[in-house]
Structures are given as C-alpha cells and as structure tokens.
Amino acid sequence: MRLRSFLLFAFGVGVSAACYEKDLEGPEPVSTFSISTSVSTLNLRPDDVTSFTVSVRNETRGQPVSAIGTFAESDNPSIVRVETTARPDSFKVTAIDGGTARIIVGFNGSTPDARDTIVVTNAPRPVNTVSLTPDSTGVFVGATTTLRAALLDAAGDTIRQRAATFRIDPASDTTIATVSATGVVSGVRVGSVRVIAAREGKEDTTRVTVTLRPVATVTVAPGDTTVRVGNTVQLTATLRAANNAVLTGRPITWASSDTTIATVSTSGLVRGV
C-alpha cells in the first residue's frame, strides 16, 4: 500500500513538472505572411485580356502555403478590371481604356504588410470610327427597336470594352421617339427623328421613322341587332393589330348600305328609318 501511494505521488509530480516546463516556453508565435505576384507590371492595349498568378508564404515558419484567401482589386476599374478564376492563385485581367491603374493583391486574415502591387499601363487606342446600324429603320408608336453602334480603331479592329452614347438630335424630337443608353429606340408619336451614336468625337447617324401600327381587324359589336323604326341602337368597333393588340386613337368611318332602311352617325349610332 505504501509503495502504491509513493508511485502515484511521483507520477503527479512528474506531470506537474512537465506542464510547468511547457509554460516556460511561452505561446506559439503569431504567423506572418507575404504575398508575391508572377509579374510586377503589365503593358496592354484596351480589350487585351491576360492573367497573373500569386504565391503566399508563411514567413514565420519559412514555408509556402495555399493561395486560398488571396484577393486582387483594381484601383481604377474604368481602366483595368481584375476578376477571380477557377484557381485560387490565378486572376484574370481585362484592359478597358487607355491609362495607368494598379492592381492591389492581398491575403485575407494577414497583416497589412502582406500586399503586392501590379502596375498596369494601357496604351491608348483611340476610336477612329463609329458605325451605327441599321442606316435607317422604322418603329411603331408604343413599340421599340434596337440600334447597334460599333467602335473601330484606326486598323479597323472593334473596340469592345467601350460603348457609344446615343441621343436624339435635336433634343426636342424626343416627343417623337426616345433612345436609351444601350440604343433602344421607343416610338412615341408619328414622325421621323435622327439618332446619333458618338464616342471620343466620332459619330454616326441613322434615321428612325415612327408610324402607327397597321389595323389588321375591325370587329363591330353587336354583330347582328334589330332596331324599331324611329329608335336607335349604339354600335362599337374594336380595332386590333396583327399581334392582336387593341389599337386606340384611330379614326373610324361608319356607313350604311341602305340609308332608306337605317342610317348611322359618325359615332356608330344606328337609327331605324
């Protein structure tokens, strides 16, 4: 019994000593990270698309770690756009317009020092020609049609990352038609307007004619009726377009095939004779 008690006491002392020695070592140091990119500069032209990779290193332990958690941001998205890809260590870069921008790359959860920068310079590619299509078109009142404006450089290559601006000229003609920022023209009333697409001092013009949608069918109600001599009955007419839409605001002409039996007014009122 005495031997067993002694062994238990010795074991307890040993454990306490071991724990005490570990406390003397202090807490584990906080890891610091660094991040680096595969390129430090990019020289592009607007519409160019490229990519870069990143690597992350745990400086405290002196070893590389997974790139999961890295991010990249453009300080001027109107000049260069950066997007993630299917790989956590790779990012897609798209040049938008001429100029210089910076891509800031970092690692989530790390100190602010874990950053890297890529300087992107886009050589200017001025718009040489604006091509608006179609050259002329028509649209019904209450309907829409879409115009397309292509921007071309001096070599005739399409500039895709920029877009033309659209306007009705003169502005007072917006009572006839309107145009959206994407070139959608809406007919307001009968007439003709000039639509201009422009970018960087270059422009092109198209003519849009607004007309009434043609009447496809006329339905009179009631279809058959009886009226006594000297009495009246009111008829109504419904106008529809080819798409079955009801048309309003159109003049309707009424006529009787035999006025000695019945007459009809301009509003469709029938009187028995």
Side-chain angles (χ1 to χ4, degrees):
M1 177 64 72
R2 290 180 180 177
L3 178 59
R4 181 181 179 187
S5 298
F6 174 77
L7 291 175
L8 289 173
F9 174 75
F11 177 75
V13 171
V15 171
S16 299
C19 293
Y20 178 72
E21 290 176 0
K22 185 166 183 63
D23 288 341
L24 291 177
E25 294 176 3
E28 293 240 354
V30 177
S31 295
T32 59
F33 298 87
S34 66
I35 190 167
S36 59
T37 58
S38 57
V39 293
S40 60
T41 61
L42 287 171
N43 294 302
L44 307 173
R45 292 196 318 165
D47 290 335
D48 284 351
V49 178
T50 187
S51 63
F52 66 89
T53 58
V54 299
S55 58
V56 182
R57 182 178 177 84
N58 186 323
E59 296 296 345
T60 302
R61 299 186 178 183
Q63 61 186 22
V65 297
S66 169
I68 295 176
T70 56
F71 65 88
E73 300 173 344
S74 170
D75 69 351
N76 195 336
S78 64
I79 293 178
V80 64
R81 185 173 66 240
V82 60
E83 302 168 274
T84 58
T85 67
R87 291 173 45 185
D89 66 336
S90 179
F91 293 87
K92 175 184 174 182
V93 178
T94 304
I96 306 298
D97 206 347
T100 300
R102 289 171 175 79
I103 297 175
I104 311 300
V105 184
F107 184 62
N108 288 340
S110 65
T111 62
D113 295 334
R115 297 285 189 274
D116 201 0
T117 302
I118 300 174
V119 178
V120 183
T121 303
N122 296 339
R125 186 156 67 116
V127 174
N128 187 70
T129 305
V130 176
S131 178
L132 183 60
T133 55
D135 292 334
S136 63
T137 189
V139 63
F140 295 131
V141 172
T144 62
T145 188
T146 302
L147 304 178
R148 307 291 181 187
L151 307 181
L152 308 176
D153 63 12
D157 296 327
T158 301
I159 300 172
R160 294 182 175 83
Q161 298 299 330
R162 282 170 279 175
T165 59
F166 296 87
R167 71 179 189 273
I168 302 292
D169 185 61
S172 59
D173 281 352
T174 52
T175 60
I176 298 173
T178 61
V179 62
S180 72
T182 56
V184 178
V185 178
S186 301
V188 178
R189 65 178 176 85
V190 175
S192 181
V193 298
R194 190 169 70 127
V195 180
I196 296 177
R199 180 78 189 208
E200 298 174 18
K202 307 297 182 181
E203 61 182 38
D204 195 12
T205 304
T206 191
R207 177 67 59 175
V208 179
T209 302
V210 184
T211 59
L212 292 173
R213 193 183 293 272
V215 176
T217 61
V218 179
T219 305
V220 176
D224 295 302
T225 188
T226 300
V227 61
R228 293 180 181 276
V229 173
N231 288 350
T232 60
V233 63
Q234 181 66 54
L235 303 180
T236 60
T238 302
L239 312 181
R240 293 184 182 273
N243 63 355
N244 207 38
V246 176
L247 303 176
T248 60
R250 308 293 179 89
I252 299 174
T253 302
W254 296 88
S256 170
S257 62
D258 192 339
T259 56
T260 64
I261 297 176
T263 60
V264 61
S265 70
T266 56
S267 61
L269 183 65
V270 177
R271 181 180 298 276
V273 176

